[in-house]
Amino acid sequence: MDHRAIARVLREIGFFLQLKGENPFKTRAYEAAAARFEELPQDALEQLLARGTLTDLPGVGEAISKKVATLASTGALPLHQALRAEFPAGLLDLARVPDLGPKKIAALHRALGVASPSDLRRACEEGRVREVKGFGEKTEIRLLENLRSLERSGLRRPLGAVRPLALDLAQRLRRAPGVLRAEVAGSVRRFRETVGDLDIVVGAASADPVFDALVASPEVERVLGRGPTKCSVHLGGGLQVDVRVVGGEQFTTALHHFTGSKADHVRLRSLARERGLKISEWGVERADGSRLSIDGEEALYQALGMAYVPPELREDQGEVEAALRGPLPPLVEERQIQGFVHVHTTWSDGKDSVRAMAEAARERGGRYLAITDHSRSAGYAGGLDLPRLRAQWEEIAAVQRQVPEVLLLRGSEVDILDDGRLDFPDEVLAELDVVIGSVHSRLKLDEAAMTRRVLAAMDNPFLDILGHPTGRLLGAREPCPLDVGEVLSAAARAGVAVEVNGSPERLDLSAEHVRRASDLHVGLVLTPDAHGIGGLANLEYAVATARRGWAGPAEVLNCLDADAFRAALRSARARRCG
Ligand code: DGT
Ligand code: CA
Ligand code: CA
Ligand code: ZN
């Protein structure tokens, strides 16, 4: 069983134990251990299992380590199975409703027999939830809103929650006998921010060994259907995966077809017809039925008389017209990003030290790193008061001597207060190299008030970057009401840069807003918003979101080298002060 499946089982056990009202220390131990296993590289897990040293992991005690060993060797755990049998399956779905924790779920279950999201919806509509102790009318209204927005998004999941699973599964299929190639397709390959199901295309001599490997994968819970070229399965949590197997010579056209989007394909098919060609997943045919040999997607686009379109742009949003006119403008690439901006450390709510973050940034080829812990009002996130901020500067200076390869910048993710002021005085902000201003509190203002608040923050000459502007959390919190167009125009005027936050739960700015920002020539900063060394990998999602918004390297400030990046921020401040 792989590390993520183990994490899921532990998390479910924690959840069920909370439902039963077990000792909070015990339930928290399961949650903490789940978080550990989630992040633990698979080979490290296998080493610890082989040596019997799982308890070396912080937060993993004797009892849990035994259970994990059982899970890993047998693929199941009696305790988990017993708990699953004890409760209706719909209770796990209820855990996906925002604002609803295990305690509340247990209360609703006991009082009203609510056992699924649809039960809860009926209970809210009939006004029964407000009668339950600890709920009330306001909570009932909010829950109903949350349920509706969950239904609107369908069961789409945030990209970051499912892409690692898709990549792992493709990797596993690559090892099956006779496989030439296996790639993730569908919305995951296009980096859509939410994903309905996973699609994998395999080029292989025959399908059977591929599907055998698929259904034998420990992540697979249920086989939905198996045919000669397609096999669909459910992973844990009901996530569907469609795997298609084609011959090696059809791989390119199949990968292209199953990458989508559907809208994009409709356009390409009619273009092909105009050229006397027919494209499908099986290949490109001339009118006489003969086949073009197509090797690689570049060749496919060439056959259609157009420039290459990268997967991130295939949404029929003007890319087809642009590619018919000529090569598309260059899109930013991850290797062009020179500095990590927006990371947290143990000084606030990060898991790793300044030193560990600096070393990790160095390993990833970063030339600079802006340490941006939270400011004093962010009590929930361990925000720094002034003495601690200054103490951090000393540590940054010391780490700089130890890690000279990465220029460390003093920064802060400063709260934008209710009235639009920033959470540190100007004299302090002036001493920081990088000031990101973010809204973290009072997100429920109306649009006019929220827009005023953000515009007021941008009046501060020391605000370098507006952080995660809409505050959305994918699948959990809607964007706050904000006139994004107005804010972006003001940013362009004031020379304030705007963040493209790559934390998979945020992706904020969204791709759509990135496109508006780059039309307005707003400077962009692509960040990982990392809360630990693993989080630096989020940069990939920031880059993908920027690419989906057609952003090129010239618009991205942290494509500049360290000196030019600092100079750009300094001169923007000087213009605003002047
Ligand atoms: P999603 O899954 O909702 O996040 O979005 P996509 O774009 O991954 O949508 P999906 O999985 O329905 O389809 C991916 C591409 O594969 C899409 O361009 C259409 C194509 N496709 C999907 N199912 C079939 C099928 O059964 N037959 C054929 N010929 N094409 C299909
Ligand atoms: Ca899909
Ligand atoms: Ca699909
Ligand atoms: Zn933040």
Side-chain angles (χ1 to χ4, degrees):
M1 196 174 234
D2 89 317
H3 66 110
R4 284 192 210 89
I6 289 171
R8 203 182 60 246
V9 171
L10 294 176
R11 194 159 282 131
E12 286 186 14
I13 293 175
F15 172 77
F16 287 129
L17 292 180
Q18 272 180 283
L19 280 184
K20 287 170 80 96
E22 282 271 0
N23 170 348
F25 289 107
K26 193 166 162 190
T27 60
R28 237 174 276 144
Y30 279 98
E31 280 163 15
R36 278 285 154 201
F37 285 102
E38 194 116 81
E39 295 213 337
L40 187 68
Q42 186 65 19
D43 48 351
L45 170 67
E46 276 154 22
Q47 269 181 20
L48 290 170
L49 280 167
R51 292 205 211 104
T53 50
L54 281 174
T55 48
D56 287 357
L57 289 170
V60 177
E62 207 48 62
I64 291 185
S65 92
K66 280 208 188 102
K67 296 196 169 72
V68 170
T70 307
L71 261 177
S73 60
T74 67
L77 190 65
L79 169 66
H80 180 237
Q81 289 167 326
L83 287 166
R84 275 202 145 194
E86 190 175 338
F87 295 101
L91 290 183
L92 277 171
D93 298 333
L94 277 172
R96 295 184 58 184
V97 179
D99 303 320
L100 210 53
K103 270 210 192 96
K104 288 194 173 149
I105 293 174
L108 291 168
H109 184 49
R110 263 195 310 271
L112 304 173
V114 162
S116 69
S118 54
D119 288 351
L120 177 61
R121 182 171 177 154
R122 215 167 315 119
C124 286
E125 285 166 350
E126 291 167 4
R128 285 183 285 134
V129 168
R130 69 183 69 180
E131 308 298 338
V132 180
K133 186 160 172 275
F135 283 81
E137 189 176 349
K138 261 176 124 171
T139 310
E140 185 181 88
I141 292 170
R142 198 173 64 236
L143 285 176
L144 195 54
E145 274 170 15
N146 292 344
L147 280 164
R148 289 196 175 123
S149 90
L150 202 64
E151 279 165 20
R152 262 200 310 280
S153 63
L155 287 175
R156 301 188 68 81
R157 296 153 212 259
L159 173 67
V162 299
R163 183 165 171 270
L165 302 170
L167 296 177
D168 281 2
L169 209 49
Q171 183 58 27
R172 184 184 294 278
L173 297 182
R174 264 175 219 128
R175 292 195 295 260
V179 169
L180 306 166
R181 298 194 58 186
E183 295 293 338
V184 175
S187 50
V188 172
R189 184 164 181 242
R190 305 197 311 278
F191 282 89
R192 255 194 86 168
E193 59 196 29
T194 61
V195 170
D197 68 10
L198 306 180
D199 303 277
I200 297 177
V201 176
V202 180
S206 82
D208 268 328
V210 179
F211 294 158
D212 289 344
L214 176 68
V215 302
S217 298
E219 304 90 327
V220 170
E221 267 191 1
R222 207 151 69 85
V223 179
L224 301 170
R226 177 168 172 168
T229 64
K230 175 176 173 183
C231 182
S232 294
V233 298
H234 264 178
L235 306 184
L239 176 63
Q240 183 170 333
V241 189
D242 297 332
V243 177
R244 274 93 174 184
V245 178
V246 297
E249 65 296 342
Q250 292 155 343
F251 184 78
T252 295
T253 42
L255 177 64
H256 185 266
H257 178 86
F258 292 110
T259 296
S261 65
K262 284 191 192 90
D264 181 275
H265 274 311
V266 170
R267 301 292 314 280
L268 294 195
R269 273 200 296 274
S270 79
L271 273 175
R273 256 195 313 276
E274 289 166 20
R275 291 180 158 67
L277 297 171
K278 182 165 167 261
I279 54 169
S280 71
E281 57 268 50
W282 310 112
V284 182
E285 277 179 23
R286 300 188 192 84
D288 62 9
S290 62
R291 256 166 212 278
L292 266 66
S293 129
I294 300 283
D295 187 15
E297 286 184 329
E298 281 84 358
L300 177 61
Y301 282 99
Q302 209 171 13
L304 296 176
M306 57 196 289
Y308 176 69
V309 178
E312 296 94 321
L313 294 189
R314 298 180 195 165
E315 301 287 354
D316 191 22
Q317 303 270 334
E319 74 282 0
V320 175
E321 292 76 6
L324 282 168
R325 285 194 299 271
L328 300 181
L331 302 181
V332 62
E333 292 172 33
E334 188 171 355
R335 59 177 180 80
Q336 295 168 327
I337 305 289
Q338 307 246 2
F340 291 99
V341 182
H342 197 166
V343 307
H344 299 269
T345 71
T346 43
W347 283 86
S348 67
D349 58 350
K351 281 194 306 231
D352 289 305
S353 64
V354 173
R355 168 108 187 229
M357 294 302 283
E359 286 170 345
R362 179 183 62 195
E363 304 317 315
R364 290 179 172 272
R367 312 306 294 272
Y368 52 100
L369 172 69
I371 308 284
T372 55
D373 278 302
H374 288 281
S375 61
R376 56 191 175 185
S377 291
Y380 59 90
L384 277 63
D385 58 15
L386 286 176
R388 289 182 68 232
L389 182 68
R390 294 214 164 86
Q392 188 189 44
W393 294 348
E394 283 174 25
E395 180 169 319
I396 290 175
V399 172
Q400 183 67 86
R401 287 189 290 277
Q402 293 157 340
V403 189
E405 302 87 347
V406 180
L407 179 70
L408 300 183
L409 301 176
R410 288 177 184 175
S412 177
E413 184 181 15
V414 185
D415 265 37
I416 295 176
L417 303 176
D418 292 359
D419 58 2
R421 276 180 309 125
L422 300 185
D423 193 21
F424 285 133
D426 286 359
E427 313 83 80
V428 174
L429 298 176
E431 287 189 71
L432 292 168
D433 301 307
V434 178
V435 174
I436 302 175
S438 305
V439 170
H440 289 122
S441 56
R442 297 246 357 244
L443 294 161
K444 299 237 151 110
L445 297 178
D446 65 30
E447 180 175 313
M450 186 59 95
T451 304
R452 251 193 331 266
R453 178 181 178 191
V454 171
L455 293 179
M458 288 198 297
D459 276 343
N460 186 311
F462 299 102
L463 179 78
D464 300 309
I465 303 164
L466 178 63
H468 49 71
T470 75
R472 71 169 176 180
L473 296 177
L474 289 167
R477 186 165 77 206
E478 295 290 313
C480 67
L482 181 72
D483 186 339
V484 175
E486 177 75 33
V487 167
L488 292 175
S489 304
R493 280 195 305 277
V496 170
V498 175
E499 178 180 46
V500 181
N501 185 305
S503 167
E505 56 179 12
R506 292 192 181 273
L507 304 183
D508 186 10
L509 293 178
S510 66
E512 179 202 338
H513 288 149
V514 168
R515 203 159 176 190
R516 284 163 75 180
S518 56
D519 286 345
L520 291 163
H521 305 291
V522 174
L524 300 172
V525 179
L526 276 41
T527 83
D529 192 358
H531 288 75
I533 57 176
L536 292 177
N538 293 346
L539 186 62
E540 182 179 23
Y541 291 108
V543 170
T545 304
R547 288 170 63 84
R548 284 176 65 78
W550 295 65
E555 291 146 275
V556 175
L557 286 179
N558 51 333
C559 284
L560 298 170
D561 67 25
D563 287 339
F565 177 75
R566 294 175 77 189
L569 298 191
R570 267 201 307 268
S571 72
R573 282 189 193 185
R575 272 198 311 278
R576 292 192 294 264
C577 285

